[in-house]
């Protein structure tokens, strides 16, 4: 309300709704209160007088019991004042801005004095609203038409009279009222001044209150900060307390440990004390012993001095022995080099291409049973012997000393019934009779294994018709006695390598096992995918290699045996699939050997090729005529065997002519073995023969083939040897054998001691 901001608000003591605000409302000055109440009471008294006269229903300002009514709110008072003023048309101006009177029925009722009940009975029904209760410009209220004249005016006459009397009374009262008003106004202005002062005081008090409030807020902030700080400090202190507790606990534990340690130490000290006591006793004993030992030491010292002299002399001897050993080792190394050369020379003397002939024994299965008998065992011994002799071919071995000759004979009847005898003589480097053992054969071959470790390439072929004993010679049986050339040669190589280890040689070995079937290479150590993978032969400066084949590092002869067994099983699988393929294909086992001497820095590289050739039977004998596949096989075998014979023959002739072309490329086998056949390579062909008469023709074919390979240029045993041989050593020319000396032949001085050794009578050295 606008009035409340200008005037001190009067709080009725009876109102429960009005509570004091933050700041206490300043107390109304007693003078102002008294003057106001007296003014109100004056006005109310006036109104009461009026109302008592005109409106008896108005509420009395004084309670019936005489007590003064409580002070009403200013608005009500103002209304009352305004009402009174409006009724009086006088009085001071209102304290508040005059408000437009509300035209609600209730207010109208309160603002306008209600007419007496008698009047209300005669109130005109259609009185215009503008006429009722409108205040005139003079301040009077016109109640209805003011002009008398008609009949109704007479009825209003007493009222008008009364009104006039009231007016006059009021006029009489207005002078003291004006004076009262003036006094009241003075009081009001005083009050206003007082109110301003009070407002100022209030403002100051408010400002002070704000300052105090701010200070209070600051103080509460400080208190809050202090509280937080305090809480932090309390937390820190609690943590410290916890730490201290923990430390105390730890210290307590340490103290316990220290106590137990101390106890232990005390115990130990006790033990040590007793030990010290024992030691001092022992020391006493030792001192005595020491003295005795000192005496002994003196004796020993003198003997040591003597020994020192002996040691120095022994050291001198040892040094000289060491020097001698070094010299001897050096000599041994040189001797090893000489041995290698001499060994090679011996091999060359024997021939770089050698041919052995081996006739296998007659097997029980070779003896025809006849007469429905199933086996020779079911025959009588006489019958057996007769059958055996019938089955055997007529073979003679005339050279009982050197075992070099073999003679096949046959007798037949001509058309005239005359007996016709034929004989075929053949000579080879060695001929093995049917009763010869694997040991005897290997004895002749073993030196070739030595050549491998000396860095030469060696090829050993087994040649012959199917069933002549090639596989038996090369692979052999399962026992130690029947072991073939391959396992024996490999064992020999490993043995020699081990022996040479003491002379500084270290060897690494690798093996591969191939099969050549119908001019196709198969890897017997591979996955068994025969004829599927294409393998190519490559020759380069590092030697010969076949693409995509397994080359197995070898560390022991046992490993080689396992390798051979694997290859054999692969071949067997192929054989069942391909009609006894093993006898229709060449198998080539190659052992690569690399050696280095850590003492001399020398190195060497050799290879050992052990070849089991396919059966050499002719086309008609093989029964391949009707079978195109067999025919192709046989043609392929014959072609490759013929190519091998040509290469070996050409190699033999090359020594004569020097620039002879070697047809290695004519077959896969010869191309594969090119490096192992050429140069200083050693080649050995073991010709296997069947002893059976029915195989005579095949045997003769094989013998002719081997002869061609054995003596290409000198079919009549004319061998040439030596450029500058010693004439003294020439033997009678009864059995002339001359061999050509290779270019790499060592000097004469080195050759001669060898030549002076017991020399076969069939050898002679000549100049040419
Ligand atoms: N020197 C020998 N002593 C005893 N038995 C032998 C001898 N040579 C061969 N045999 C036997 O002769 C039979 C045929 O020999 P082998 O299988 O070695 O002939 P092959 O020429 O390799 O035949 P293929 O060409 O079919 O492989 C075998 O049973 C073998 O044990």
């Amino acid at each position: 309300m606008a009035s409340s901001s200008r005037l001190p608000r009067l709080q009725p003591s009876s109102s429960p709704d009005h509570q004091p605000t933050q700041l206490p409302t300043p107390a109304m000055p007693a003078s102002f209160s008294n003057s106001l109440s007296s003014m109100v009471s004056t006005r109310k008294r006036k109104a009461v007088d009026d109302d008592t006269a005109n409106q008896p229903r108005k509420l009395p300002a004084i309670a019936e019991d005489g007590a003064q009514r409580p002070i009403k709110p200013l608005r009500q008072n103002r209304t009352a004042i305004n009402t009174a003023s409006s009724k009086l048309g006088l009085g001071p101006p209102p304290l508040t801005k005059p408000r437009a009177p509300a035209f609600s029925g209730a207010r109208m009722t309160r603002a306008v004095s209600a007419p007496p009940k008698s009047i209300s009975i005669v109130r005109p029904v259609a009185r215009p609203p503008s006429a009722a209760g409108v205040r005139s410009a003079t301040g009077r209220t016109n109640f209805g038409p003011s002009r008398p004249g008609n009949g109704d005016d007479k009825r209003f006459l007493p009222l008008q009279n009364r009104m006039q009397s009231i007016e006059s009374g009021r006029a009489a009262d207005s002078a003291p009222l004006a004076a009262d008003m003036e006094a009241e106004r003075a009081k009001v202005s005083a009050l206003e001044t007082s109110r301003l002062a009070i407002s100022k005081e209030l403002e100051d008090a408010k400002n002070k209150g704000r300052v105090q409030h701010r200070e209070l807020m600051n103080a509460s902030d400080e208190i809050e900060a202090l509280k937080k700080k305090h809480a932090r400090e309390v937390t820190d202190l609690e943590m410290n307390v916890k730490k201290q507790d923990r430390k105390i606990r730890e210290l307590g534990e340490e103290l316990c440990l220290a106590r137990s340690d101390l106890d232990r130490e005390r115990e130990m000290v006790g033990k040590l004390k007793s030990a010290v006591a024992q030691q001092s006793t022992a020391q006493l004993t030792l001192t005595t012993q020491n003295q005795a030992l000192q005496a002994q030491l003196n004796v020993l010292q003198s003997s040591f001095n003597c020994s020192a002299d002996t040691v120095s002399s022994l050291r001198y001897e040892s040094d000289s022995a060491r020097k001698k050993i070094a010299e001897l080792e050096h000599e041994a190394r040189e001797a090893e080099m000489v041995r290698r050369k001499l060994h090679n020379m011996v091999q060359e003397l024997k021939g770089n291409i050698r041919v052995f002939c081996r006739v296998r024994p007659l097997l029980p299965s070779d003896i025809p049973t006849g007469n429905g008998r199933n086996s020779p065992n079911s025959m009588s011994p006489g019958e057996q012997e007769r059958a055996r002799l019938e089955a055997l071919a007529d073979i003679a071995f005339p050279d009982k000393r050197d075992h070099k000759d073999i003679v096949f004979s046959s007798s037949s009847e001509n058309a005239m019934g005359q007996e016709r005898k034929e004989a075929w003589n053949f000579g080879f480097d060695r001929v093995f009779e049917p009763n010869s053992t694997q040991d005897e054969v290997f004895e002749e071959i073993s030196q070739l294994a030595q050549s491998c470790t000396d860095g030469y390439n060696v090829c050993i072929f087994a040649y012959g018709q199917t069933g002549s004993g090639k596989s038996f010679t090369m692979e052999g049986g399962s026992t130690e006695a029947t072991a073939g050339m391959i396992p024996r040669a490999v064992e020999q190589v490993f043995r020699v390598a081990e022996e040479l280890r003491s002379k500084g040689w270290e060897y690494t070995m690798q093996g591969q096992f191939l099969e050549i079937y119908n001019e196709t290479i198969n890897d017997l150590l591979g996955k068994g995918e025969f004829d599927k993978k294409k393998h190519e032969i490559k020759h380069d400066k590092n030697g010969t290699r076949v693409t995509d084949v397994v080359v197995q590092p070898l560390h022991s002869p046992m490993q080689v045996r396992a390798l051979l067994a694997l290859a054999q099983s692969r071949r067997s699988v192929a054989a069942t699939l391909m009609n006894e393929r093993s006898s229709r294909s060449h198998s080539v086992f190659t052992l690569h050997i690399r050696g280095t001497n850590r003492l001399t820095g020398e190195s060497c590289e050799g290879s050992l090729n052990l070849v089991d050739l396919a059966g050499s039977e002719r086309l008609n004998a093989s029964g391949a005529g009707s079978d195109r596949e067999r025919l192709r096989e046989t043609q392929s075998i014959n072609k490759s065997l013929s190519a091998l014979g040509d290469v070996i023959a050409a190699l033999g002739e090359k020594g004569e002519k020097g620039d002879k072309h070697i047809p290695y490329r004519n077959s896969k086998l010869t191309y594969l073995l090119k490096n192992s056949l050429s140069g200083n390579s050693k080649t050995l062909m073991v010709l296997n023969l069947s002893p059976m008469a029915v195989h005579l023709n095949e045997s003769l074919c094989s013998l002719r083939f081997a002869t061609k390979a054995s003596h290409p240029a000198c079919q009549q045993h004319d061998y040439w040897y030596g450029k500058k041989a010693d004439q003294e050593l020439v033997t009678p020319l009864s059995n002339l054998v001359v061999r050509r000396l290779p270019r790499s032949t060592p000097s004469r001085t080195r050759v001669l001691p060898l030549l002076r050794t017991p020399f076969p009578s069939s050898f002679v050295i000549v100049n040419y």
Side-chain angles (χ1 to χ4, degrees):
M1 287 176 68
S3 60
S4 68
S5 62
R6 272 183 269 155
L7 286 174
R9 195 169 176 180
L10 300 176
Q11 294 296 338
S13 58
S14 60
S15 174
D17 300 334
H18 293 278
Q19 296 295 329
T21 52
Q22 281 183 331
L23 291 173
T25 307
M28 189 179 287
S31 57
F32 174 72
S33 180
N34 293 338
S35 62
L36 192 61
S37 53
S38 66
M39 184 183 74
V40 171
S41 60
T42 311
R43 285 191 184 178
K44 284 203 182 215
R45 197 168 53 243
K46 201 71 179 156
V48 167
D49 292 344
D50 293 345
D51 289 346
T52 313
N54 299 321
Q55 300 195 21
R57 288 191 293 132
K58 199 97 172 173
L59 286 171
I62 306 296
E64 285 177 3
D65 56 359
Q68 194 176 1
R69 286 181 66 197
I71 299 168
K72 286 187 180 176
L74 192 56
R75 185 174 169 184
Q76 290 172 353
N77 289 342
R78 192 171 63 236
T79 308
I81 291 164
N82 287 345
T83 309
S85 304
S86 64
K87 280 181 183 170
L88 295 172
L90 296 169
L95 291 174
T96 57
K97 195 176 175 182
R99 289 165 60 104
F103 288 99
S104 66
R107 282 186 184 265
M108 283 298 289
T109 308
R110 287 180 66 113
V112 180
S113 302
K117 280 178 185 175
S118 57
I119 295 169
S120 65
I121 294 166
V122 290
R123 185 185 288 176
V125 175
R127 197 176 68 184
S130 58
V134 175
R135 232 172 162 175
S136 66
T138 56
R140 292 169 183 264
T141 305
N142 296 323
F143 295 97
S146 56
R147 247 182 327 141
N150 53 22
D152 292 340
D153 289 344
K154 288 176 184 170
R155 287 185 293 167
F156 288 105
L157 204 57
L159 281 173
Q160 280 178 345
N161 293 333
R162 192 165 176 191
M163 288 259 316
Q164 281 170 357
S165 67
I166 290 166
E167 285 286 331
S168 58
R170 194 177 67 172
D173 287 341
S174 63
L177 272 173
D180 283 351
M181 281 299 291
E182 209 47 50
E184 291 298 327
R185 270 195 198 110
K187 283 179 187 173
V188 164
S189 75
L191 283 171
E192 184 64 23
T193 314
S194 156
R195 186 190 65 80
L196 286 173
I198 288 164
S199 293
K200 196 166 174 295
E201 274 176 27
L202 182 65
E203 196 59 38
D204 290 346
K206 273 183 186 172
N207 288 338
K208 201 174 173 187
R210 271 189 219 108
V211 170
Q212 282 172 353
H213 179 68
R214 233 180 351 259
E215 282 173 2
L216 189 66
M217 292 302 287
N218 289 341
S220 65
D221 287 349
E222 273 178 30
I223 288 164
E224 199 59 40
L226 281 169
K227 271 182 187 169
K228 281 180 186 168
K229 193 180 167 191
H230 180 253
R232 266 199 309 277
E233 283 174 1
V234 166
T235 316
D236 290 349
L237 281 170
E238 279 172 359
M239 281 171 67
N240 275 342
V241 167
K242 278 180 190 167
K243 271 186 196 168
Q244 292 303 328
D245 284 350
R246 207 164 41 242
K247 266 187 186 170
I248 287 165
R249 267 201 307 281
E250 284 170 3
L251 284 170
E253 284 166 8
E254 278 178 19
L255 186 65
C256 283
L257 288 173
R259 273 190 188 134
S260 63
D261 284 351
L262 187 65
D263 291 345
R264 260 200 314 279
E265 293 298 327
R266 275 188 190 133
E267 200 180 324
M268 182 72 84
V269 166
K271 282 180 187 169
L272 284 171
K273 272 179 185 165
S274 62
V276 165
Q278 283 173 2
Q279 291 295 324
S280 26
T281 318
Q283 193 198 359
L284 218 64
T285 319
L286 283 171
T287 312
T288 321
Q289 282 176 357
N290 190 27
Q291 284 166 356
L293 285 171
Q294 192 63 45
Q296 278 182 16
L297 181 68
N298 291 338
V299 176
L300 285 171
Q301 187 66 45
S302 57
S303 77
F304 172 76
N305 291 337
C306 297
S307 299
D309 294 342
T310 318
V311 164
S312 62
S313 66
L314 282 171
R315 204 168 274 156
Y316 175 75
E317 281 173 25
S318 148
D319 286 347
S320 51
R322 226 174 264 143
K323 271 182 201 157
K324 193 150 195 177
I325 287 167
E327 281 170 16
L328 285 171
E329 275 178 353
H330 182 69
E331 278 176 26
R333 276 197 295 278
E334 283 199 337
E336 170 62 18
M337 281 159 69
V338 172
R339 183 204 62 75
R340 282 175 178 239
K341 283 173 185 166
L342 291 177
H343 176 81
N344 187 47
M345 206 170 68
V346 169
Q347 297 308 310
E348 283 175 352
L349 283 170
K350 286 183 176 180
N352 276 347
I353 300 170
R354 273 181 275 170
V355 178
F356 291 174
C357 177
R358 186 182 196 189
V359 183
R360 76 160 169 84
L362 193 73
L363 303 172
S365 56
D366 294 337
I367 301 169
T369 50
N371 301 330
R373 293 187 179 100
N374 293 328
S375 72
N377 294 339
S378 57
M379 293 192 280
S380 66
E383 282 176 330
Q384 274 186 31
E385 186 56 27
R386 231 186 348 269
R388 208 179 69 80
L389 288 173
E390 276 174 20
L392 272 174
D394 188 358
I395 309 170
F397 303 95
D399 185 0
K400 294 296 174 194
R401 196 186 65 176
D402 297 326
H403 307 284
K404 289 181 179 290
D405 296 329
I406 183 169
V407 181
F408 272 75
S409 310
S410 85
S411 62
S412 58
E413 276 188 4
N414 61 14
M416 306 291 289
Q418 293 167 331
E419 191 182 9
R420 185 168 154 254
K421 281 203 165 196
E422 280 180 289
W424 298 270
N425 293 2
F426 297 93
F428 297 102
D429 294 284
R430 184 76 155 83
V431 175
F432 295 98
E433 294 181 28
N435 57 359
S436 59
T437 61
Q438 298 280 62
D439 266 343
E440 287 168 357
V441 178
F442 186 68
E443 206 179 308
E444 291 293 322
I445 293 176
S446 64
Q447 290 185 342
L448 291 176
Q450 174 83 53
S451 292
C452 293
T453 51
D454 290 348
Y456 293 95
N457 294 325
V458 175
C459 275
I460 300 175
F461 296 97
Y463 178 91
Q465 71 174 105
T466 300
S468 60
K470 300 184 296 291
S471 301
F472 183 84
T473 301
M474 295 307 277
E475 290 164 21
S478 54
T479 63
E480 199 63 34
T482 56
M485 300 306 115
I486 295 178
R488 283 167 190 265
V490 168
E491 268 174 34
Q492 169 85 352
V493 167
F494 274 98
R495 197 165 43 245
V496 170
E498 193 57 41
E499 281 168 15
L500 290 174
R501 191 183 284 274
S502 61
K503 288 172 182 157
W505 283 96
E506 277 169 11
Y507 288 92
T508 55
M509 296 180 208
Q510 292 178 322
Q512 69 180 42
F513 211 154
L514 306 177
E515 179 201 66
I516 301 174
Y517 175 72
N518 275 348
E519 288 296 287
T520 308
I521 294 175
N522 288 310
D523 185 8
L524 290 173
L525 303 180
K527 292 177 182 168
E529 295 170 331
F530 281 21
D531 304 329
K532 285 182 186 163
K533 237 179 187 177
K534 197 168 182 322
H535 302 284
E536 284 179 25
I537 302 162
K538 307 261 182 192
H539 295 292
D540 52 30
K541 60 179 185 328
N542 296 323
T544 304
R545 70 184 172 86
V546 183
T547 57
D548 288 333
V549 297
V550 175
V551 180
Q552 188 87 40
L554 299 172
H555 306 290
S556 70
M558 288 301 292
Q559 202 185 349
V560 178
R561 288 203 178 189
L563 219 71
L564 294 177
L566 174 73
Q568 192 53 48
S569 69
R570 296 261 161 82
R571 269 191 118 187
S572 304
V573 171
T576 52
L577 297 173
M578 302 287 291
N579 186 24
E580 279 306 312
R581 177 171 164 153
S582 63
S583 61
R584 317 296 301 158
S585 63
H586 310 302
S587 75
V588 185
F589 173 75
T590 307
L591 183 71
H592 296 283
I593 304 156
R594 282 188 190 85
T596 47
N597 194 318
R598 59 187 157 76
L599 300 174
T600 61
E602 287 175 285
S603 66
C604 64
E605 200 171 328
S607 68
L608 175 65
N609 299 280
L610 299 156
V611 188
D612 186 355
L613 292 168
S616 62
E617 54 273 20
R618 290 164 301 158
L619 210 56
N620 54 356
S622 69
S626 55
D627 186 343
R628 291 188 66 148
E629 191 58 35
R630 268 321 262 279
L631 186 69
R632 200 163 77 88
E633 270 182 7
T634 310
Q635 281 174 340
S636 166
I637 292 165
N638 286 347
K639 188 182 151 211
S640 63
L641 290 175
S642 161
L644 177 67
D646 291 344
V647 165
I648 293 173
L651 282 168
E653 285 173 30
K654 192 180 179 185
E656 302 288 308
K657 297 177 183 170
D659 57 348
K660 175 86 179 162
H661 168 70
I662 313 292
Y664 291 113
R665 284 183 177 271
N666 284 357
S667 77
K668 278 269 159 60
L669 179 69
T670 49
Y671 192 57
L672 173 70
L673 298 172
K674 180 184 166 190
N675 286 330
S676 300
L677 291 168
S678 60
N680 278 338
S681 306
K682 321 285 174 225
T683 303
L684 170 70
M685 184 174 284
V686 180
L687 170 65
N688 290 93
L689 294 174
S690 163
M692 292 171 70
V694 289
H695 294 145
L696 177 66
N697 285 336
E698 282 302 323
S699 298
L700 288 174
C701 284
S702 299
L703 284 161
R704 285 184 194 116
F705 173 88
T707 304
K708 180 189 166 193
S710 176
H711 316 300
C714 312
Q715 294 288 332
Q716 295 164 19
H717 293 238
D718 289 340
Y719 297 81
W720 289 88
Y721 174 80
K723 224 175 186 178
K724 290 191 173 181
D726 195 332
Q727 290 293 328
E728 291 168 3
L729 292 173
V730 174
T731 57
L733 297 176
S734 56
N735 194 3
L736 181 65
V737 177
V738 182
R739 293 203 171 197
R740 182 184 63 80
L741 191 70
R743 286 199 188 103
S744 59
T745 303
S747 68
R748 186 179 165 199
T749 47
R750 283 194 182 159
V751 174
L752 282 178
L754 176 78
L755 297 180
R756 285 201 178 92
T757 55
F759 211 67
S761 62
S762 60
F763 283 78
V764 67
I765 314 298
V766 296
N767 286 322
Y768 69 95

